Amino acid sequence: MAGLLVGLVSGAAVLGADLLSGALVQGSGGHPLQIAELKTYDWRLNQTARPESARKDIALVEIDEYSLRNLQPYAGRWPWPRVVHAMLIDYLARAPARLVAYDVNFAEPDSRRGSIQSRRRAT
């Protein structure tokens, strides 16, 4: 019961401090609790992450600067045409994966020759 009370009081204190500091710095650009969150995020992850306990059946495939440089002769400069993304997803789907999650922002239409959007504009 004492632990629950301590948790409720601490939660109320944090929410109260958040509301008060938000009202005091309104419009100044940075909320103190958000700044503290961002500054301590990497440190907190390094303190709690345990790579040795990571699951071995999960693979993270990243599109990073190294892969962009090495694939540029084949896929072109970033942003890659949609067909390159489709081929990458097809390749990953052939593996014994139960799930492939793909997180890429397609903010603009594909304007390269041969894309569906360029064919639609031509007709």
Side-chain angles (χ1 to χ4, degrees), residues 81-82 109-121:
R82 302 295 195 273
D110 193 350
S111 61
R112 307 216 178 152
R113 272 184 79 187
S115 71
I116 293 172
Q117 289 87 355
S118 67
R119 279 186 255 149
R120 284 183 184 154
R121 283 191 295 268

Side-chain angles (χ1 to χ4, degrees), residues 83-95 100 102 106:
V83 68
V84 173
H85 293 278
M87 289 187 308
L88 180 59
I89 292 170
D90 287 343
Y91 178 79
L92 293 172
R94 284 193 300 257
V100 173
Y102 201 73
F106 295 107

Side-chain angles (χ1 to χ4, degrees), residues 16-37:
D18 182 46
L19 290 172
L20 179 62
S21 61
L24 293 174
V25 297
Q26 190 172 15
S28 69
H31 192 284
L33 292 179
Q34 185 178 21
I35 293 169
E37 159 71 13

Side-chain angles (χ1 to χ4, degrees), residues 6 9 12 27 42 72 79 88 98 101:
V6 168
V9 169
D42 288 337
Q72 187 170 346
L88 180 59
R98 282 191 264 161

Side-chain angles (χ1 to χ4, degrees), residues 8-116:
L8 289 173
V9 169
S10 349
V14 167
L15 289 175
D18 182 46
L19 290 172
L20 179 62
S21 61
L24 293 174
V25 297
Q26 190 172 15
S28 69
H31 192 284
L33 292 179
Q34 185 178 21
I35 293 169
E37 159 71 13
L38 294 174
K39 290 193 178 287
T40 63
Y41 182 76
D42 288 337
W43 177 83
R44 288 181 287 124
L45 284 182
N46 284 331
Q47 297 303 310
T48 59
R50 302 284 177 255
E52 64 278 358
S53 67
R55 292 180 50 174
K56 305 294 186 223
D57 62 336
I58 296 176
L60 178 63
V61 179
E62 295 181 292
I63 301 173
D64 58 3
E65 290 298 323
Y66 177 80
S67 58
L68 290 174
R69 272 193 313 276
N70 286 317
L71 292 173
Q72 187 170 346
Y74 310 104
R77 294 178 50 109
W78 186 264
W80 292 334
R82 302 295 195 273
V83 68
V84 173
H85 293 278
M87 289 187 308
L88 180 59
I89 292 170
D90 287 343
Y91 178 79
L92 293 172
R94 284 193 300 257
R98 282 191 264 161
L99 173 71
V100 173
Y102 201 73
D103 184 19
V104 173
N105 184 4
F106 295 107
E108 298 178 13
D110 193 350
S111 61
R112 307 216 178 152
R113 272 184 79 187
S115 71
I116 293 172

